[in-house]
Amino acid sequence: MRVSLFTTCLGELFYVDVLKDVTEVLERLGCEVDVPEGQICCGQPAYNSGYAKDTKGPAKQMIKAFEHSDYIVCPSGSCATMFHEYPNFFADEPEWEARAKQVAAKTYEFTQFIVRVLGVVDVGAEYHARVTLHTSCHMTRLLGERESHYTLLKHVKGLELVPLPNNYDCCGFGGTFSVKMFPISEQMVDEKIRHIEETKADVLVGADASCLMNIGGRMKRLGRPIKVLHIAQILNSHQGKGDERDADESRKSTIL
């Protein structure tokens, strides 16, 4: 099975090792992974800021970059959701609307693809820690994926998954919202952190780098010792595969 990886802006800039973990997990499950060179930003920052017409250019470029792919996998529910928005941009351009629908139909978030397309619930990972999961807004509410990340974590050997109180609450990032509405965003992420601490978890896991960057950055500034990891880092962990690497990745995640 051929899979094209949409790396995302945050992935390429801050979470390259997460992209490696995603690739290694997919290859271990029998996929042949490629990274189309023509990919750019999916256009979400502009779109969410109200510049819908200006987003059509990036959307067309992304459609051209990925339309020949068998499947498109993205390590971000937020960015995967953007692909599913593309058909809405081209109601007045039937040719592009049809091409956008084809691309949207084969685009999946990383854990969603593993569970719902590959039919795998146990990737053979092992990670000994008490873990809680942050579910991002776009992944659950817009992409509609609420189970795959839980399913995969429950099958990780040695992992104790504890519920996060009020897990449906936004972390306060929301892209430009965290910049334009900083006082509100700060209170939201502080509330999220209080709930994380209530779980007594050693590690916070999520499937969206943007949320992890926001929560992890705030915890770093507050001096909280909880690790922050992308779910791909957990799913690519095995017995004896360095806690040192995990700690290093956590530092990268929380220093921003």
Side-chain angles (χ1 to χ4, degrees), residues 31-91:
C31 298
E32 180 182 346
V33 182
D34 64 67
V35 182
E37 293 184 358
Q39 63 182 286
I40 57 173
C41 175
C42 66
Q44 184 178 164
Y47 181 64
N48 288 349
S49 297
Y51 299 99
K53 291 183 179 179
D54 294 323
T55 310
K56 294 177 75 170
K60 287 183 177 181
Q61 176 58 35
M62 291 295 274
I63 291 168
K64 289 188 288 185
F66 285 98
E67 63 184 343
H68 300 297
S69 303
D70 293 337
Y71 290 96
I72 304 159
V73 172
C74 175
S76 163
S78 178
C79 295
T81 296
M82 193 62 189
F83 273 65
H84 290 267
E85 292 286 344
Y86 285 168
N88 298 327
F89 298 167
F90 302 109

Side-chain angles (χ1 to χ4, degrees), residues 42-153:
C42 66
Q44 184 178 164
Y47 181 64
N48 288 349
S49 297
Y51 299 99
K53 291 183 179 179
D54 294 323
T55 310
K56 294 177 75 170
K60 287 183 177 181
Q61 176 58 35
M62 291 295 274
I63 291 168
K64 289 188 288 185
F66 285 98
E67 63 184 343
H68 300 297
S69 303
D70 293 337
Y71 290 96
I72 304 159
V73 172
C74 175
S76 163
S78 178
C79 295
T81 296
M82 193 62 189
F83 273 65
H84 290 267
E85 292 286 344
Y86 285 168
N88 298 327
F89 298 167
F90 302 109
D92 58 342
E93 298 182 58
E95 179 185 348
W96 279 103
E97 182 183 29
R99 294 168 72 177
K101 286 180 178 179
Q102 290 178 351
V103 167
K106 55 187 177 183
T107 299
Y108 296 87
E109 182 272 334
F110 172 58
T111 63
Q112 183 184 51
F113 178 77
I114 293 174
V115 174
R116 304 199 183 279
V117 178
L118 297 183
V120 174
V121 298
D122 187 343
V123 300
E126 182 172 353
Y127 192 88
H128 294 266
R130 184 179 174 90
V131 172
T132 194
L133 174 69
H134 166 68
T135 54
S136 65
C137 297
H138 278 194
M139 182 163 171
T140 56
R141 295 168 184 167
L142 298 182
L143 191 60
E145 182 53 65
R146 297 177 173 84
E147 298 295 334
S148 61
H149 33 341
Y150 283 110
T151 299
L152 291 170
L153 288 176

Side-chain angles (χ1 to χ4, degrees), residues 238-252:
H238 307 281
Q239 187 174 18
K241 187 172 182 178
D243 291 337
E244 182 179 347
R245 190 202 73 156
D246 293 335
D248 181 58
E249 290 306 318
S250 181
R251 284 192 291 271
K252 289 180 184 178

